[in-house]
Amino acid sequence: MTLADSFLQALNLLFSGDSQLWEIIATSFAVSGQAVLLITPPALLLSFVLAYGRFPGRKLLITLSNSLLALPVVVIGLLLYLLFYSHGPLVNLQLLFSRPAMVIGQMILAFPIVVVMAHSHLQGGDRRELETVQTLGSGRLNMIWTLFVEHRYALLAAVLAAFCRVIAEVGSSLLIGGNILHYTRNLATAIAMETDKGAVSQSLALGLVALLLALGLQFVVSHFRGSGRVE
Amino acid sequence: MTKPLLQLTDLRRRLGRRVLWQIPQLTVPAAGSLLLRGHNGTGKTLLLKTLAGLDKLDCQALQLHGLNVAQSRWQQQLRAVTVYVHSQPWLFERTTQSNIAYGLQRQGLRGSHLRERVWEALEWAGLQDLAGQRARQLSTGQQRLLAITRAWVLQPALLLLDEPLAGLDQMARQQLLELLGHLAEEHRTVLWTSHEGVADAGWVDEIWQLEDGQLSREIYRGRQASAVVSFHRPASHIKL
């Protein structure tokens, strides 16, 4: 079978309404969506504190957040595996090879991405905005809310970028999710498995879905980021 | 006799080891137009921000309407009685009227009462035609006018304006000067800075001069000020 044949077969599979394929896509969205939704409020809050706060250890926290970006996904998976496996300290939680475990892994991956991207946007801002909000009578919570609303597009772009990153990760999901059909199989783990089996068309179909998904989300991110040039 | 709005004892501001200014006794009257002069870099903006509760406050004692304020509440009390306007104001990414409404909403105003107050403010500044326009699309002069209006509508006891006239063309400058003149008639206190001469601001009650880390005060209340506000150093001045 040529690559072109495989590609056509992949398109056919994609638009034939194959229930297993769509189930895998749904699992990917559910797991990654949960992970990103759960980390968004604390990550944005931390980015705000790092950008506007004055406290000892702030620079250390920034360095730590930046360093976490370089942590290999498979290492996150391995560490969680060691926590959850049959001799691990958290075995009683019975999380190994479950969706919650995958969510936890993706949360660890997504958290520093949102913190670093949101913080780097906020730190480029202007102290006048904080002072204006303070002088116009905002309390602490209202001040944070106002500044989030003012920077909503850039912050949303950070969240979407994190989503794009975690939905495509395979290392952690495979190690702690286990790629169980109808439960923990997602796009990335399914692609890895189908390629191993030699089912190229299935693998390509899944790859196409992942690509379309990534493209769609990147268009959304680009839209929120603005024109991408200096105005 | 009316008690002063604010009295700060031994007020100082350090930048590292350097003392930027040191003022043994700073008295802000309960009403009047006060002009703070000084060259660039003398710390005018920092003084305004300190009084606005936006910068750290280093002083011995703070009195508000003649009453001592506990140190833990200094910043909170200063923010409660002042509104500060930057020389280049920061406006929300909203319409002109939403910008004006922001502070009023923080005060708990809603519905028709809020709309009335916003409209009143728009009329006061002559910004009615720009009510629905995006604030950041306004001209520099209009943006500054909007920022002052946004502050004025909150009726603060002390309105702090940093270089409100800087960088404006003659027409916008005249319009803002008129507005500052109206503010001076409202029996509240307006403290504004300028690094240049303002010969046409004859309604100024006091001129504060910040120089070499010292603040001196010249009182013009009840006198014809227009001749002296051309910013030659006053012949005699009180060191504060």
Side-chain angles (χ1 to χ4, degrees), chain B residues 10-226:
Chain B
D10 199 16
L11 176 67
R12 70 183 73 189
R13 180 65 162 88
R14 292 174 197 276
L15 286 178
R17 287 182 179 179
R18 181 181 149 223
V19 177
L20 186 62
W21 35 252
Q22 186 165 10
I23 306 164
Q25 185 79 30
L26 180 73
T27 304
V28 179
S33 180
L34 323 172
L35 173 56
L36 173 60
R37 291 172 50 198
H39 297 296
N40 290 329
T42 49
K44 301 188 295 296
T45 299
L46 273 177
L47 180 55
L48 254 59
K49 284 189 182 179
T50 303
L51 293 176
L54 298 174
D55 194 51
K56 58 184 169 190
L57 181 58
D58 180 2
C59 70
Q60 288 296 315
L62 167 66
Q63 282 192 337
L64 182 63
H65 296 297
L67 298 171
N68 278 319
V69 179
Q71 190 172 355
S72 59
R73 294 175 58 81
W74 281 355
Q75 208 162 39
Q76 191 186 350
Q77 286 295 317
L78 285 174
R79 283 188 196 169
V81 295
T82 61
V83 178
Y84 170 79
V85 180
H86 292 91
S87 58
Q88 290 178 318
W90 187 78
L91 299 170
F92 298 113
E93 183 60 65
R94 308 174 187 190
T95 61
T96 299
Q97 55 188 352
S98 294
N99 265 276
I100 295 173
Y102 181 85
L104 294 171
Q105 286 167 326
R106 306 284 86 72
Q107 291 182 346
L109 260 67
R110 298 282 181 276
S112 59
H113 200 43
L114 175 67
R115 280 194 295 276
E116 276 171 30
R117 288 283 297 278
V118 170
W119 195 251
E120 184 193 340
L122 287 165
E123 282 181 333
W124 177 78
L127 288 169
Q128 303 98 308
D129 295 342
L130 303 172
Q133 197 160 323
R134 308 297 294 181
R136 291 186 187 166
Q137 290 172 352
L138 301 176
S139 70
T140 308
Q142 288 167 335
Q143 287 194 8
R144 203 165 290 169
L145 189 58
L146 170 57
I148 293 173
T149 310
R150 183 174 67 178
W152 170 84
V153 78
L154 300 176
Q155 310 275 311
L158 174 59
L159 186 56
L160 300 155
L161 310 176
D162 192 13
E163 298 281 357
L165 303 174
L168 296 182
D169 64 29
Q170 196 53 41
M171 219 170 103
R173 182 187 165 91
Q174 199 52 44
Q175 190 185 2
L176 259 184
L177 267 173
E178 275 176 32
L179 206 68
L180 291 173
H182 291 315
L183 283 172
E185 293 162 6
E186 289 184 8
H187 305 292
R188 278 184 285 157
T189 313
V190 183
L191 173 58
W192 56 293
T193 63
S194 182
H195 65 278
E196 52 184 323
V198 188
D200 37 4
W203 32 261
V204 168
D205 295 308
E206 292 184 22
I207 294 178
W208 294 3
Q209 179 77 33
L210 196 54
E211 202 171 290
D212 301 327
Q214 306 279 310
L215 187 75
S216 55
R217 190 171 69 156
E218 183 81 356
I219 299 171
Y220 293 104
R221 196 173 288 122
R223 284 201 259 158
Q224 187 59 264
S226 53

Side-chain angles (χ1 to χ4, degrees), chain A residues 128 131 135 138 142 146 150, chain B residues 84 86 88 93 102 106:
Chain A
R128 285 177 310 158
E131 289 171 348
T135 200
S138 281
N142 206 280
T146 301
E150 286 293 309
Chain B
Y84 170 79
H86 292 91
Q88 290 178 318
E93 183 60 65
Y102 181 85
R106 306 284 86 72

Side-chain angles (χ1 to χ4, degrees), chain A residues 6 19 33 52-53 66 79 106 108 116 144 193 204 208:
Chain A
S6 297
S19 62
Y52 293 104
N66 284 318
L79 289 173
Q106 294 194 357
I108 296 171
V116 170
I144 295 171
M193 185 196 69
L204 260 178
L208 263 179

Side-chain angles (χ1 to χ4, degrees), chain A residues 165-195:
Chain A
R165 176 69 188 90
V166 297
I167 205 167
E169 72 84 20
V170 65
S172 151
S173 292
L174 203 55
L175 270 171
I176 53 175
N179 193 29
I180 302 165
L181 186 60
H182 307 307
Y183 186 43
T184 58
R185 184 165 299 170
N186 66 10
L187 274 171
T189 59
I191 291 171
M193 185 196 69
E194 298 295 346
T195 310

Side-chain angles (χ1 to χ4, degrees), chain A residues 112-141:
Chain A
I113 298 174
V114 176
V115 171
V116 170
M117 284 187 71
H119 171 251
S120 64
H121 169 77
L122 291 173
Q123 74 168 1
D126 194 323
R127 197 145 187 96
R128 285 177 310 158
E129 56 191 325
L130 180 71
E131 289 171 348
T132 301
V133 173
Q134 285 174 333
T135 200
L136 292 176
S138 281
R140 200 162 290 198
L141 281 179

